[in-house]
Amino acid sequence: RAESATRAQLTVYAAASLTNVFPAIDKSEKYSFGGSNALAAQIKQGAPADVFASANMTLPTQLFQQGFCSKPKVFTRNALVIVVPKSNPAHIRNIYNLTKSGVKIDIAASGVPVGTYTLQILKNMNLTNAVLKNVVSQETDVREVLAKVALAEADAGFVYSTDAKTVPGKVKVIRIPAWAQPKLRYGICVVSSSSQKTAAKAFIKRVLGKAGQKKLHRYGFLPRVKPKS
Amino acid sequence: MAKLTLDQIAVPLRTFQLELSLEVGSTVALVGPSGAGKSTVLNTIAGLVKPAAGSIRCDEETWFDAERGVFVRPEDRRVGLVFQDYALFPHLTVRQNVEYARRHHADEYLDRFQIRHLQDARPGSLSGGERQRVALARALARDPAILLLDEPLAALDAHTKVDVRAELQQLLAGLEIPTLLVTHDFEDAAALADEVGVIVEGRLRQTGTPADLVAQPADPFVASFTGANLLHGEWCATGVGTTGIRLDDGTLVSTTDDGDGAIVLAVYPWDVTISTTRPDDSAMNVVAGAITAITELGNRARVTVGPLTAEITVDSLRRLGLRPGQQVYASFKATGTRVVASRPTEG
Amino acid sequence: MAKLTLDQIAVPLRTFQLELSLEVGSTVALVGPSGAGKSTVLNTIAGLVKPAAGSIRCDEETWFDAERGVFVRPEDRRVGLVFQDYALFPHLTVRQNVEYARRHHADEYLDRFQIRHLQDARPGSLSGGERQRVALARALARDPAILLLDEPLAALDAHTKVDVRAELQQLLAGLEIPTLLVTHDFEDAAALADEVGVIVEGRLRQTGTPADLVAQPADPFVASFTGANLLHGEWCATGVGTTGIRLDDGTLVSTTDDGDGAIVLAVYPWDVTISTTRPDDSAMNVVAGAITAITELGNRARVTVGPLTAEITVDSLRRLGLRPGQQVYASFKATGTRVVASRPTEG
Amino acid sequence: MRRALGFGLFVAVAVVTLAFLALPIVGIFVHTSPGNVLHQFSNPVVKDAFVVSLKTSLLAQAAILLFGTPTAYLLATRRFPGHSLAVTLVELPLVLPPAVAGVGLLAALGRFGLLGSSLSALGITLPFTQTAVTIAVAYVASPLYIRQAIATFEATDPHLTAASRTLGAGPVRTFFRVVLPLARGGLIAGLALSFARGLGEFGATIMFAGSLQKVTQTLPLAIYQEFAVNFDASLAMGAVLVLISAVLLLTLRIALSWRSSPSTRSPSLFGLSSSS
Amino acid sequence: MRRALGFGLFVAVAVVTLAFLALPIVGIFVHTSPGNVLHQFSNPVVKDAFVVSLKTSLLAQAAILLFGTPTAYLLATRRFPGHSLAVTLVELPLVLPPAVAGVGLLAALGRFGLLGSSLSALGITLPFTQTAVTIAVAYVASPLYIRQAIATFEATDPHLTAASRTLGAGPVRTFFRVVLPLARGGLIAGLALSFARGLGEFGATIMFAGSLQKVTQTLPLAIYQEFAVNFDASLAMGAVLVLISAVLLLTLRIALSWRSSPSTRSPSLFGLSSSS
Ligand SMILES: Nc1ncnc2c1ncn2[C@@H]1O[C@H](COP(=O)(O)OP(=O)(O)OP(=O)(O)O)[C@@H](O)[C@H]1O
Ligand SMILES: Nc1ncnc2c1ncn2[C@@H]1O[C@H](COP(=O)(O)OP(=O)(O)OP(=O)(O)O)[C@@H](O)[C@H]1O
Ligand SMILES: [Mg+2]
Ligand SMILES: [Mg+2]
């Protein structure tokens, strides 16, 4: 029924990090941005979502296995960066400075995607213990990490490179070597309970399509497939 | 006019159980100390308190009956209850208060109680006397079968009280409604009611006309309540054959009554005379002692000597030139004494 | 003994301003209607209320002086204030209450007021009389330079009141402390105080011995307060040369005084006699009318006829066989009347 | 001297406390310019959030008023077995972590919840709808109103209700003609408090209703979302919320204290009331 | 008849309301087995969180008691310009979205906040410390205690304090010997309420103190974190919280109603007090 010519708006549940880019790709839909976990949990509780765009693949894959959504597709990738306050009180120049004692580091909790990725990076660079000893807080949401760095309460924090761009005036970005980056893939899928599956599929196409990918790129996201180097 | 009957009602209260039977045909007053259960009686009649046992009837209507499980709700009993604090609705005007009982004769009552000019005032701005009139008007406006007054004079200061009491007296005389009023002042009761019941700790000690209670107080409490002096003593033999009473302070007292054991005598102040020389009148009982207090009021004076308070005229006070501390003799006729049950006094 | 002086103190209150000067050397009573400002006077002396102007001295100590900006805090003034509700500390035992003022003579006072046996009881479980004794003991235990009693008898029911009043009377006589007590009952004032001040709306209307106030009430209010009947009328010529007063109900009244214009006469109940036939005594003023109310008490009866209430003996009541509604003549001597200022009555 | 000192200490402590309570609020305003605050109202996210907040709050408060008042009245005037339990029940939402409350609401009214099946049988699904927001707000805010109402009702003179009964008015008429008019002041105060609390509701809402712009995204949710993308905006919105609540409470308090003011009477030093 | 009906309606409404308030709690317990609840205490995360919660709550309540009581007393007994403002200030934390409160605390006490510099000059940095948790909890929970305390103090008979003064006791001695003993019941009740509220504090804590196991992670924070990974665990923890709060409040209410109980006296139908 909702398949009529003038179809109703889609409801898109998307990871917080997509807050700016998705409306840019398609402003006609309704969006609910939040921590991917929370969104997934809500979908399990029967939230009226048509599309779920997660900041990782694990969550949508879980949903898929439990029959809550279609098989997820990777639609973009992201990278982690270190943000430090503009004033950079702890004089962080690179990731290795994070091991200096007394540095206040803020990361997301292991339950949250960003948190998992952060730990992977530290593992890859085997800085795990050296850095974790400086961690002062494990937030429940990447927003809190960003807020605390922005307020200069924390000396440094791990966030998506895309998040960093949203508070330009307040933080400085410090890159993390590409080789240490985890596979940071965003998955998107159609929610099983959706009443507008075709429209939902169409939306996903738009995201995967040229225009969509361009927008994503403009907002600092990486191409969905790693360019072979 | 209607008749209200309380039949062996029982209300468990915090420290004791209220138990009484009562008939209200004319104007009856319940007097008793604070906490005796007076208000509870009124609340029970009005249906604000539910007794554990007994029955309440108003003429033919049964308002409460424990056995038959009858309980008529307060709004369906035709009682006019005037609270001690008048309980006027502060957010309504005098007129609205009187009209509250959903009847349209408000004007009639506003005029009858001369509160027409106050009709737009709020209770907060009224004097004690005016409040009482409004409360009465409001209660009567619902045209009750029986009128209940809780301490109608307690909220007034002594000098308005006299006027208001007179007012009330005339009003009740005019009404054709049986009235039960409650007070802890015997004088008020005597002024307002044809019949007085003395209630203590939830039980009626004595009922009768005010004069009766003064004439034959059933027990020391009633006696003291009606203003008598109480003399404690023992029966003992006085000379040949005749018996008398030895007071705790030793003085011998003769009475017209007879008995033995511990005892309490009631003597009213106006039966006691004061003299500076011992009166040699065999019929007289004499208590010697120093004056501990003198109170003048108007043309009368109360003189306290030991256990006795005498009421004499100011003239004789002056004539005898009495002063506190002075040694005098307080004497009263044997006939002027009443032997009251040898129970110890309460309150 | 010490002396307390209030010099032109002024306290703005909700509806009026309290303004008075007062000297307390012996036992003084302030009487007045509710809301007159009596308690405020005591609170001001105790330092619980701060006047806007004036000064308060106790002997040489200055407790308050608006000009010099002196204000001694209540805890530093040596006053013993007994509240109307006694304000005993409910969470402390009687003994702890008495000891509260940090002095160690508690026993002395517990004995003196015969409350030793109650020392471990909490105030909640005491009778009115006992509470008052505790309150007094507590106040005196701090050894005050002046004693302030707010309505010492108001919290008692009528029949304990009489005893407690006598008790208090003896106590005050015994104390060597100037005392200011407040009451709205003239009778209590007369019983307890050497000097009485009548206060209305924050101003002293008259001060003097109780007898004075009865003898020459300064104004209708004081008169009615002391229990007089008030007769409203007008001066007018009565026959040749002599003047008299025409009451509002028309009856002519002659007095020993003289004047003109609207006027109020005070007549005390005990100066009024009742007769069934018109007394033909020229010296007598006669008011004819029907009896509206009869109140018997002990050997006296109060009979109300029109504007007059007469106090007669029960004997004469019986002899004349008076009944409500009966036509009678209430008469009083010209000398028995007092002309009081032609101001309308309050209260 | 020592005494004066003791009293001074009291005042000092009070000042410190009040300062502490004021600081965070000051902080928020320091970080945002008034211009910024005003500017927020042109931000569509804020506008939508504001509308949603207002709509749901009003509905929720209406419900609270409608259901809470009789409940409070009964709890205040009747004693029955389990009375204490009932009162505790009324207070619990106040002390529940809002997030837990939200989970609880899901567990109760969610589609897998206790009543979920019966509700969906009626074709009703609550979670993630605006109704859900209203419910969450009502649940979390109700205690503030109900407790106040209970206190107010307990304070009304039983003689007045008794008088009304003896004058022929049944319990209900008595309630509307006597009890309510007398309790008005207290009830309004309570409602204002719960309204303000409702405006600030976050945890339960996000759990039970999610955060969907124009539908379930209230001001606090918007604030939270903006943290990531637009920090200043979120602070400014916070300021807006504070302002609304503060103004609401303050005007009310002043209005009420104008009515039954102890401060209007009182030359008395030690709070002696007029009966003294 | 109509009347009886009207009254029945009242009862019905009350029942519905109470049921609604009970539902979410029931929901939580239905979803978790008692075994699960107990089992949580062997979960190290929960254990640590529990310890942190307890420690910070106790400290916070101590602070509230110490600072809140004199404040409440002054607000209750003195009238001064800005009195209404002060009272509103006391109420605000109750109505602030906790997250906003947290940001406010950062803006005020954070190292770059208003007092930040002066604090760091003293070598103090609050954020991310346990002290920060305590502060957040104290800030959010204080209104519940202070408001109750104000009400209680306002209710104490001014004659008693006046009497104490005239008996030579200064304001401070009066406060400790007369006012406090009389107010005890009310104060305890208020404290219990604020304690329970403090236990549930989430938003402000995460903002101002962050969440670090063993250091700043309180029960609600743990609940939220587990929420993602382990739903049952979080529910169980929620249940634990509810239990603690409920038991606390209930025992207290019963204890108090034992002392000054209207229910022990009263054959009276219409709540007529003994003075009637
Ligand atoms: N703190 C106060 N501020 C303003 N007005 C007050 C205050 N206390 C009392 N009043 C008013 O001052 C007047 C006198 O009060 P006060 O209590 O002194 O009268 P009172 O003579 O003691 O009356 P009562 O005999 O009823 O005790 C009353 O009108 C009262 O309303
Ligand atoms: N609702 C009630 N439940 C239990 N006990 C009560 C109740 N109301 C009053 N009482 C107790 O019953 C006794 C009588 O109370 P009541 O008010 O009837 O006395 P009273 O004679 O009216 O006293 P007062 O003259 O002071 O008004 C008192 O001891 C009181 O404590
Ligand atoms: Mg009574
Ligand atoms: Mg007074």
Side-chain angles (χ1 to χ4, degrees), chain D residues 226-243:
Chain D
E226 292 296 297
F227 264 152
V229 282
N230 179 349
F231 191 71
D232 297 345
S234 66
L235 267 185
M237 281 189 272
V240 173
L241 259 178
V242 177
L243 276 181

Side-chain angles (χ1 to χ4, degrees), chain E:
Chain E
M1 200 57 254
R2 254 188 58 267
R3 281 185 200 138
L5 202 148
F7 182 70
L9 197 70
F10 262 53
V11 177
V13 171
V15 171
V16 171
T17 311
L18 291 176
F20 168 66
L21 290 174
L23 259 180
I25 293 163
V26 176
I28 289 176
F29 282 96
V30 169
H31 275 252
T32 73
S33 64
N36 198 336
V37 174
L38 292 180
H39 171 267
Q40 287 311 315
F41 283 97
S42 53
N43 171 342
V45 178
V46 179
K47 258 192 274 160
D48 294 339
F50 189 79
V51 173
V52 174
S53 275
L54 207 65
K55 206 165 138 201
T56 51
S57 293
L58 291 180
L59 282 174
Q61 297 310 323
I64 290 178
L65 197 62
L66 226 61
F67 287 85
T69 313
T71 311
Y73 185 57
L74 291 187
L75 289 177
T77 54
R78 295 277 195 281
R79 290 281 172 276
F80 48 84
H83 182 269
S84 300
L85 191 70
V87 178
T88 309
L89 209 54
V90 167
E91 282 174 348
L92 264 186
L94 203 56
V95 304
L96 272 187
V100 174
V103 176
L105 283 168
L106 279 179
L109 304 175
R111 68 174 164 176
F112 292 92
L114 292 176
L115 303 188
S117 47
S118 22
L119 282 173
S120 46
L122 305 172
I124 308 173
T125 49
L126 294 175
F128 307 117
T129 63
Q130 219 165 52
T131 324
V133 180
T134 312
I135 291 177
V137 170
Y139 182 76
V140 174
S142 58
L144 289 172
Y145 173 75
I146 300 184
R147 292 185 70 230
Q148 174 76 284
I150 291 178
T152 313
F153 286 136
E154 273 174 347
T156 52
D157 178 358
H159 281 193
L160 293 180
T161 45
S164 166
R165 298 298 301 273
T166 60
L167 289 170
V172 177
R173 184 154 185 274
T174 301
F175 179 75
F176 285 107
R177 293 250 353 233
V178 177
V179 178
L180 265 194
L182 292 175
R184 223 177 69 258
L187 297 189
I188 293 175
L191 201 63
L193 217 54
S194 83
F195 183 85
R197 170 69 182 88
L199 267 187
E201 198 338 84
F202 171 77
T205 314
I206 189 98
M207 270 300 152
F208 185 46
S211 162
L212 191 62
Q213 193 176 343
K214 274 201 164 67
V215 184
T216 59
Q217 188 177 66
T218 60
L219 269 179
L221 296 182
I223 292 180
Y224 198 84
Q225 213 146 81
E226 291 300 295
F227 200 66
V229 253
N230 176 350
F231 189 72
D232 296 346
S234 67
L235 263 185
M237 282 190 269
V240 173
L241 261 178
V242 177
L243 275 181
I244 299 176
S245 309
V247 168
L248 188 66
L249 293 180
L250 193 56
T251 46
L252 203 93
R253 179 157 310 288
I254 290 169
L256 289 181
S257 69
W258 257 95
R259 279 165 70 267
S260 69
S261 166
S263 35
T264 53
R265 62 155 137 93
S266 232
S268 76
L269 274 182
F270 302 109
L272 280 179
S273 80
S274 65
S275 69
S276 60

Side-chain angles (χ1 to χ4, degrees), chain B residues 162-236:
Chain B
V162 180
D163 314 348
V164 178
R165 187 167 74 188
E167 233 174 59
L168 194 57
Q169 211 168 3
Q170 298 171 38
L171 179 94
L172 292 181
L175 286 175
E176 273 306 281
I177 305 179
T179 305
L180 179 61
L181 66 90
V182 145
T183 161
H184 52 230
D185 184 343
F186 183 75
E187 190 167 347
D188 293 340
L192 295 171
D194 318 324
E195 195 186 351
V196 178
V198 180
I199 180 173
V200 181
E201 296 207 324
R203 281 178 185 62
L204 275 177
R205 282 290 182 79
Q206 185 174 9
T207 52
T209 66
D212 295 344
L213 297 192
V214 172
Q216 290 94 25
D219 62 34
F221 180 85
V222 176
S224 79
F225 210 83
T226 55
N229 297 296
L230 292 186
L231 303 176
H232 296 262
E234 288 245 339
W235 287 101
C236 63

Side-chain angles (χ1 to χ4, degrees), chain C residues 80-93:
Chain C
L81 173 54
V82 177
F83 288 85
Q84 176 165 349
D85 56 11
Y86 305 142
L88 298 175
F89 301 124
H91 59 297
L92 301 180
T93 64

Side-chain angles (χ1 to χ4, degrees), chain C residues 12-16 32-41 84 150-151 182 184, chain D residues 265-268 272-276:
Chain C
L13 293 174
R14 198 179 296 97
T15 49
F16 55 84
S34 176
K38 306 185 294 296
S39 299
T40 306
V41 174
Q84 176 165 349
D150 195 346
E151 309 272 5
V182 146
H184 52 232
Chain D
R265 59 157 137 95
S266 231
S268 76
L272 280 178
S273 78
S274 65
S275 69
S276 63

Side-chain angles (χ1 to χ4, degrees), chain B residues 46 48 73-75 79 81 83 85 87-92 100-102 138 142, chain D residues 157 159-171 173-174 177-178 181-182:
Chain B
L48 299 173
R73 310 158 116 243
E75 56 266 38
V79 299
L81 173 54
F83 288 86
D85 55 11
L88 298 174
F89 302 124
H91 60 298
L92 301 179
Y100 190 85
R102 267 207 245 70
R138 185 179 68 171
R142 92 159 294 195
Chain D
D157 178 359
H159 282 194
L160 294 180
T161 44
S164 165
R165 299 300 300 274
T166 60
L167 288 169
R173 184 154 185 273
T174 300
R177 293 253 351 235
V178 178
L182 292 176

Side-chain angles (χ1 to χ4, degrees), chain C residues 4 76 167 177 219 327 329 342:
Chain C
L4 180 87
D76 302 328
E167 234 174 59
I177 305 178
D219 62 34
Q327 279 293 332
Y329 302 91
S342 38

